[in-house]
Amino acid sequence: MATIERSEAPSLSLPADLTPREARANLTWVSAAHAVIHATSVLMPLVYPIIKKEYHFSYTEIGLLVSIPSLISGMLQLVFGYLGRWITRKAMIGVGNLIVALGIVLTGLATSFALFMGWGVVRSVGGAPQHPVGSSLLSDTYARNRRGFALAAHVAGGNIGTLAVPALGLFLITHYSWRPAVMLFALPGLIAGTGVLLFVREPSLGSQRRSVSAKPTAELAPPTGEVAPSGPAPTRF
């Protein structure tokens, strides 16, 4: 006859294969990447009035520069969410930020409506994975009792990018002209994208579920003083 020993319950804070340090790195870099996406989105409306005057664009053309990349980005979010079955989420977010950085540099070199539109589409493709894929990765990084905090921090990262750019972008545009100001904003995208690729760890498939659903074996132990029957375990069908 063998007794069943009680064991401690696993932590419900993190998936089984992530340390607290790795979880913080995931949260920090994914949120920073989110800030970059919002920052570049807010920067361009500061530039559109200038290029409208410089290149004699119509209001319709400016509207197209805003709406078409936004439409493409919205449609691609669903696609990138689906691609997460085959491509690691950190790769989509990290490479996406590098593509945004490239797009913002090329936007600073653009000299025609077609180029502004083309590089705007490039930026929208790079930024499209951030919302669905970043939220998914952080949901798997933290279990239920910390997931709300992680998702809130992710949203806050985007809001920081939104709030910081108007004053900073306007200062740079005013003092250094719009082209250097725009190209300078490629640097945060380069840093965030590289950081995601190097320091974010993809949670293993199913590890988050194990951390949430696992129960202490004490619940299966018989009352004190009783022993479990010996012999082979019954077969389950």
Coordinates of all heavy atoms in Angstrom, one line a residue, residues 179-234:
R179 N 11.9 66.3 -43.4 CA 12.6 65.1 -43.9 C 13.5 64.5 -42.8 O 13.4 63.3 -42.5 CB 13.3 65.3 -45.2 CG 12.5 65.6 -46.4 CD 13.3 65.7 -47.7 NE 12.5 66.1 -48.8 CZ 11.7 65.3 -49.5 NH1 11.7 64.0 -49.3 NH2 11.0 65.7 -50.5
P180 N 14.4 65.3 -42.2 CA 15.2 64.7 -41.1 C 14.4 64.3 -39.9 O 14.7 63.3 -39.3 CB 16.1 65.9 -40.7 CG 16.1 66.8 -41.9 CD 14.8 66.7 -42.6
A181 N 13.3 65.0 -39.7 CA 12.4 64.7 -38.5 C 11.8 63.3 -38.7 O 11.8 62.5 -37.8 CB 11.4 65.7 -38.3
V182 N 11.3 63.1 -39.9 CA 10.6 61.8 -40.2 C 11.6 60.7 -40.2 O 11.4 59.6 -39.5 CB 10.0 61.9 -41.6 CG1 9.6 60.5 -42.1 CG2 8.7 62.7 -41.5
M183 N 12.8 60.8 -40.8 CA 13.8 59.8 -40.8 C 14.3 59.5 -39.5 O 14.7 58.3 -39.2 CB 14.9 60.1 -41.8 CG 14.4 60.1 -43.3 SD 15.8 60.2 -44.5 CE 16.1 62.0 -44.4
L184 N 14.4 60.5 -38.6 CA 14.9 60.2 -37.2 C 14.0 59.2 -36.5 O 14.5 58.5 -35.6 CB 15.0 61.6 -36.5 CG 15.5 61.5 -35.0 CD1 17.0 61.0 -35.1 CD2 15.5 62.9 -34.4
F185 N 12.7 59.2 -36.8 CA 11.8 58.3 -36.1 C 11.9 56.9 -36.6 O 11.3 56.0 -36.0 CB 10.3 58.8 -36.3 CG 9.9 59.8 -35.3 CD1 10.1 61.2 -35.5 CD2 9.2 59.4 -34.2 CE1 9.7 62.1 -34.6 CE2 8.8 60.3 -33.3 CZ 9.0 61.7 -33.5
A186 N 12.8 56.6 -37.5 CA 13.1 55.2 -37.8 C 14.0 54.6 -36.7 O 13.9 53.3 -36.6 CB 13.9 55.2 -39.2
L187 N 14.7 55.4 -36.0 CA 15.6 54.8 -34.9 C 14.8 54.0 -33.9 O 15.2 52.9 -33.5 CB 16.4 55.9 -34.3 CG 17.4 55.5 -33.3 CD1 18.4 54.5 -33.9 CD2 18.2 56.7 -32.7
P188 N 13.7 54.6 -33.3 CA 13.0 53.8 -32.3 C 12.4 52.5 -32.9 O 12.4 51.4 -32.2 CB 11.8 54.7 -31.9 CG 12.3 56.1 -32.2 CD 13.2 56.0 -33.4
G189 N 12.0 52.5 -34.2 CA 11.5 51.3 -34.8 C 12.7 50.2 -34.9 O 12.4 49.0 -34.7
L190 N 13.8 50.7 -35.3 CA 15.0 49.8 -35.4 C 15.3 49.2 -34.1 O 15.6 48.0 -34.0 CB 16.2 50.6 -36.0 CG 17.5 49.8 -36.2 CD1 17.3 48.7 -37.2 CD2 18.6 50.7 -36.6
I191 N 15.3 50.0 -33.0 CA 15.6 49.5 -31.7 C 14.6 48.5 -31.2 O 14.9 47.4 -30.7 CB 15.8 50.7 -30.7 CG1 17.0 51.6 -31.1 CG2 15.9 50.2 -29.2 CD1 17.1 52.8 -30.2
A192 N 13.3 48.9 -31.3 CA 12.2 48.0 -30.8 C 12.2 46.7 -31.6 O 12.0 45.7 -31.0 CB 10.9 48.8 -30.9
G193 N 12.3 46.8 -32.9 CA 12.3 45.6 -33.7 C 13.4 44.6 -33.4 O 13.2 43.4 -33.2
T194 N 14.6 45.2 -33.2 CA 15.8 44.4 -32.8 C 15.6 43.8 -31.4 O 15.9 42.6 -31.2 CB 17.1 45.2 -32.9 OG1 17.2 45.7 -34.2 CG2 18.3 44.3 -32.6
G195 N 15.1 44.6 -30.5 CA 14.9 44.1 -29.2 C 13.9 43.0 -29.1 O 14.0 42.0 -28.4
V196 N 12.8 43.1 -29.9 CA 11.8 42.0 -29.9 C 12.4 40.7 -30.4 O 12.2 39.6 -29.8 CB 10.6 42.4 -30.7 CG1 9.7 41.2 -31.0 CG2 9.8 43.5 -30.0
L197 N 13.2 40.8 -31.5 CA 13.8 39.6 -32.1 C 14.8 39.0 -31.1 O 14.9 37.7 -31.1 CB 14.4 40.0 -33.4 CG 13.4 40.4 -34.5 CD1 14.2 40.8 -35.8 CD2 12.5 39.2 -34.9
L198 N 15.5 39.8 -30.4 CA 16.6 39.3 -29.5 C 16.1 38.8 -28.2 O 16.7 37.8 -27.6 CB 17.7 40.3 -29.4 CG 18.5 40.6 -30.7 CD1 19.5 41.7 -30.3 CD2 19.2 39.4 -31.2
F199 N 15.2 39.5 -27.6 CA 14.9 39.4 -26.2 C 13.5 38.8 -25.8 O 13.3 38.4 -24.7 CB 15.1 40.7 -25.4 CG 16.4 41.3 -25.6 CD1 16.6 42.5 -26.2 CD2 17.6 40.6 -25.1 CE1 17.9 43.0 -26.4 CE2 18.8 41.1 -25.2 CZ 19.0 42.3 -25.9
V200 N 12.6 38.8 -26.8 CA 11.3 38.2 -26.5 C 11.3 36.7 -26.7 O 11.9 36.2 -27.7 CB 10.2 38.9 -27.5 CG1 8.9 38.1 -27.4 CG2 9.9 40.3 -27.1
R201 N 10.7 36.0 -25.8 CA 10.7 34.6 -25.8 C 9.2 34.1 -26.1 O 8.3 34.5 -25.4 CB 11.2 33.9 -24.6 CG 11.2 32.4 -24.7 CD 11.8 31.7 -23.4 NE 11.6 30.3 -23.5 CZ 11.9 29.5 -22.5 NH1 12.3 30.0 -21.4 NH2 11.7 28.2 -22.7
E202 N 9.1 33.3 -27.1 CA 7.8 32.8 -27.5 C 7.4 31.7 -26.5 O 8.1 30.7 -26.3 CB 7.8 32.2 -28.9 CG 6.5 31.8 -29.4 CD 5.7 32.9 -30.0 OE1 6.4 34.0 -30.4 OE2 4.5 32.8 -30.2
P203 N 6.2 31.8 -25.8 CA 5.8 30.8 -24.9 C 5.5 29.5 -25.7 O 5.0 29.5 -26.8 CB 4.5 31.3 -24.3 CG 4.6 32.8 -24.5 CD 5.3 33.0 -25.7
S204 N 5.9 28.4 -25.1 CA 5.6 27.1 -25.7 C 4.2 26.8 -25.9 O 3.4 27.2 -25.0 CB 6.3 25.9 -25.0 OG 7.7 26.1 -24.9
L205 N 3.8 26.1 -26.9 CA 2.4 25.8 -27.1 C 1.8 25.0 -26.0 O 2.3 24.0 -25.6 CB 2.2 25.0 -28.4 CG 0.8 24.6 -28.8 CD1 0.0 25.9 -29.1 CD2 0.8 23.7 -30.1
G206 N 0.7 25.5 -25.4 CA 0.0 24.8 -24.3 C 0.6 25.1 -23.0 O 0.0 24.7 -22.0
S207 N 1.8 25.7 -22.8 CA 2.3 26.0 -21.5 C 1.4 26.9 -20.7 O 1.3 26.7 -19.5 CB 3.7 26.6 -21.6 OG 3.7 27.8 -22.2
Q208 N 0.8 27.9 -21.3 CA 0.0 28.8 -20.6 C -1.2 28.1 -20.1 O -1.7 28.3 -19.0 CB -0.4 30.0 -21.5 CG -1.0 31.1 -20.7 CD -2.5 31.0 -20.6 OE1 -3.1 30.1 -21.2 NE2 -3.1 31.9 -19.9
R209 N -1.8 27.2 -20.9 CA -2.9 26.4 -20.4 C -2.6 25.5 -19.2 O -3.4 25.4 -18.3 CB -3.5 25.6 -21.6 CG -4.1 26.3 -22.7 CD -4.8 25.4 -23.7 NE -5.3 26.1 -24.8 CZ -4.7 26.4 -25.9 NH1 -3.5 25.9 -26.1 NH2 -5.3 27.0 -26.9
R210 N -1.4 24.9 -19.3 CA -1.0 24.1 -18.2 C -0.9 24.9 -16.9 O -1.3 24.4 -15.8 CB 0.3 23.4 -18.5 CG 0.2 22.3 -19.5 CD 1.5 21.4 -19.5 NE 2.7 22.2 -19.8 CZ 3.2 22.4 -21.0 NH1 2.5 22.0 -22.0 NH2 4.3 23.1 -21.1
S211 N -0.3 26.1 -17.0 CA -0.2 26.9 -15.8 C -1.5 27.3 -15.2 O -1.6 27.5 -14.0 CB 0.7 28.1 -16.1 OG 0.0 29.0 -16.9
V212 N -2.5 27.5 -16.0 CA -3.8 27.9 -15.5 C -4.6 26.7 -15.0 O -5.2 26.8 -13.9 CB -4.6 28.6 -16.6 CG1 -6.0 29.0 -16.1 CG2 -3.9 29.9 -17.0
S213 N -4.6 25.6 -15.7 CA -5.5 24.5 -15.4 C -4.9 23.5 -14.5 O -5.6 22.7 -13.9 CB -5.9 23.8 -16.7 OG -4.7 23.3 -17.3
A214 N -3.6 23.6 -14.2 CA -3.0 22.6 -13.3 C -3.6 22.8 -11.9 O -3.8 23.9 -11.4 CB -1.5 22.8 -13.3
K215 N -3.8 21.7 -11.3 CA -4.4 21.7 -9.9 C -3.4 21.0 -9.0 O -2.8 20.0 -9.4 CB -5.7 21.0 -9.9 CG -6.8 21.8 -10.7 CD -8.1 21.1 -10.6 CE -9.2 21.9 -11.3 NZ -10.5 21.3 -11.2
P216 N -3.3 21.4 -7.7 CA -2.5 20.6 -6.8 C -2.9 19.2 -6.6 O -4.1 18.9 -6.6 CB -2.6 21.4 -5.5 CG -3.9 22.2 -5.6 CD -4.1 22.4 -7.1
T217 N -2.0 18.3 -6.5 CA -2.4 16.9 -6.4 C -3.0 16.7 -5.0 O -3.5 15.6 -4.8 CB -1.1 16.0 -6.5 OG1 -0.1 16.4 -5.6 CG2 -0.6 16.2 -8.0
A218 N -2.9 17.6 -4.1 CA -3.5 17.5 -2.8 C -5.0 17.3 -2.9 O -5.6 16.6 -2.1 CB -3.2 18.7 -1.9
E219 N -5.6 17.8 -4.0 CA -7.0 17.6 -4.2 C -7.4 16.2 -4.5 O -8.5 15.8 -4.2 CB -7.5 18.5 -5.3 CG -7.4 20.0 -5.1 CD -7.9 20.8 -6.2 OE1 -8.5 20.2 -7.1 OE2 -7.7 22.0 -6.2
L220 N -6.4 15.4 -4.9 CA -6.7 14.0 -5.3 C -6.3 13.1 -4.1 O -6.5 11.9 -4.2 CB -5.9 13.6 -6.5 CG -6.1 14.5 -7.8 CD1 -5.2 14.0 -8.9 CD2 -7.6 14.4 -8.2
A221 N -5.7 13.6 -3.1 CA -5.3 12.8 -2.0 C -6.4 12.4 -1.1 O -7.4 13.1 -0.9 CB -4.2 13.5 -1.1
P222 N -6.4 11.2 -0.6 CA -7.5 10.7 0.3 C -7.4 11.4 1.7 O -6.4 12.0 2.0 CB -7.3 9.2 0.4 CG -5.8 9.1 0.2 CD -5.4 10.1 -0.8
P223 N -8.4 11.4 2.4 CA -8.4 12.1 3.8 C -7.2 11.5 4.6 O -6.7 10.4 4.4 CB -9.8 11.7 4.4 CG -10.6 11.4 3.2 CD -9.8 10.8 2.2
T224 N -6.8 12.3 5.6 CA -5.7 12.0 6.4 C -5.9 10.6 7.1 O -7.0 10.4 7.6 CB -5.4 13.0 7.5 OG1 -5.3 14.3 6.8 CG2 -4.2 12.7 8.3
G225 N -4.9 9.8 7.1 CA -5.0 8.5 7.7 C -5.4 7.4 6.8 O -5.3 6.2 7.1
E226 N -5.9 7.7 5.6 CA -6.3 6.7 4.6 C -5.1 6.5 3.7 O -4.3 7.3 3.5 CB -7.5 7.1 3.9 CG -8.8 7.2 4.8 CD -10.0 7.5 3.9 OE1 -9.9 7.3 2.7 OE2 -11.0 7.9 4.5
V227 N -5.1 5.4 3.0 CA -4.1 5.1 2.1 C -4.7 4.8 0.7 O -5.9 4.3 0.7 CB -3.2 3.9 2.5 CG1 -2.4 4.2 3.8 CG2 -4.1 2.6 2.8
A228 N -4.0 5.0 -0.3 CA -4.5 4.7 -1.6 C -4.3 3.3 -1.9 O -3.3 2.7 -1.5 CB -3.8 5.6 -2.7
P229 N -5.2 2.6 -2.6 CA -5.0 1.2 -3.0 C -3.8 1.1 -3.9 O -3.6 1.9 -4.8 CB -6.3 0.9 -3.7 CG -6.8 2.2 -4.2 CD -6.4 3.2 -3.2
S230 N -3.1 -0.1 -3.7 CA -1.9 -0.3 -4.6 C -2.4 -1.1 -5.8 O -3.5 -1.6 -5.8 CB -0.9 -1.1 -3.8 OG -1.5 -2.4 -3.3
G231 N -1.5 -1.3 -6.7 CA -1.8 -2.0 -7.9 C -1.9 -1.1 -9.1 O -1.8 0.1 -9.0
P232 N -2.1 -1.7 -10.3 CA -2.1 -0.8 -11.5 C -3.3 0.1 -11.5 O -4.3 -0.2 -11.0 CB -2.2 -1.9 -12.6 CG -2.8 -3.1 -12.0 CD -2.3 -3.1 -10.5
A233 N -3.0 1.3 -12.1 CA -4.1 2.3 -12.3 C -5.2 1.7 -13.2 O -4.8 1.0 -14.2 CB -3.5 3.6 -12.8
P234 N -6.4 2.1 -13.0 CA -7.5 1.7 -13.9 C -7.3 2.3 -15.3 O -6.8 3.4 -15.4 CB -8.7 2.1 -13.2 CG -8.3 3.3 -12.4 CD -6.9 2.9 -11.9

